[in-house]
Amino acid sequence: MLAKKIALGIGLAIIFPMMIHYGVSTFCPAPKWSDYTVQGQYDPLLTPEQKHQKQVEQQQKQELRKAAEKRFEQHLFVVAVPLGLAAILFGAFLRVQSIGTGLMFGGIITICDGYVNYWSELADWMRFLSLLAAFLVLLFVGYKKIEKKEIVTAKV
């Protein structure tokens, strides 16, 4: 039975962040590299003018790709961080330990996914406030749920 509980927790910890990531991708697709490349750019038969034109086209497409990546990363951050925090809180208060633990780990991984992709675009104050919120949620969960259980168990 313990193995099933562990499998369930690990499964939730893996599936939850993937679900959030691909849920965001469904409504704001991540850019595909192939959509932003110019074919035939390195053809040796091109004239210098044609090569230059292809290079200009490629630079324009790269700028469009960067803008699309930034838009996707912003959407992922805005969705992943709050849902990750909610999963941690929800998981902490569930009575079924394997599900709660899986949601808590999944929430932490989801938050990390949101941060990793958008970290370079965040202002320092936004990094601080969002990390402070995550830190406070973890402290709250640790104090209200985990520490109190250990204190009650120790007294009995």
Side-chain angles (χ1 to χ4, degrees):
M1 191 61 146
L2 178 62
K4 289 180 183 180
K5 289 179 180 180
I6 292 170
L8 178 61
I10 291 172
L12 287 169
I14 293 170
I15 297 297
F16 182 75
M18 291 176 66
M19 179 185 69
I20 299 301
H21 188 96
Y22 289 104
V24 171
S25 294
T26 300
F27 297 102
C28 177
K32 295 179 181 165
W33 188 262
S34 60
D35 294 342
Y36 296 95
T37 57
V38 174
Q39 299 300 321
Q41 183 178 357
Y42 301 107
D43 186 351
L45 301 177
L46 293 177
T47 65
E49 294 83 23
Q50 290 172 322
K51 285 182 183 179
H52 177 71
Q53 180 60 31
K54 295 269 187 188
Q55 288 174 345
V56 169
E57 286 178 47
Q58 184 61 44
Q59 287 175 345
Q60 291 170 344
K61 286 196 172 200
Q62 289 297 341
E63 289 175 17
L64 291 173
R65 182 187 55 79
K66 286 180 185 178
E69 278 180 352
K70 187 175 178 179
R71 186 173 49 253
F72 170 74
E73 292 165 353
Q74 182 180 28
H75 284 104
L76 182 61
F77 175 79
V78 167
V79 173
V81 172
L83 286 179
L85 291 172
I88 292 168
L89 283 171
F90 186 68
F93 290 94
L94 278 178
R95 293 199 186 268
V96 181
Q97 277 190 335
S98 58
I99 295 174
T101 302
L103 284 175
M104 289 175 69
F105 276 120
I108 292 167
I109 295 167
T110 301
I111 290 169
C112 290
D113 186 32
Y115 279 126
V116 165
N117 288 300
Y118 198 59
W119 188 258
S120 63
E121 300 298 325
L122 285 174
D124 286 342
W125 68 269
M126 187 63 176
R127 289 178 188 170
F128 172 72
L129 287 180
S130 60
L131 287 170
L132 179 64
F135 180 73
L136 292 174
V137 166
L138 290 171
L139 280 179
F140 173 78
V141 166
Y143 180 75
K144 289 289 186 184
K145 292 303 290 179
I146 297 169
E147 188 64 29
K148 282 192 175 183
K149 279 186 181 179
E150 289 176 5
I151 291 171
V152 171
T153 306
K155 288 182 180 179
V156 176

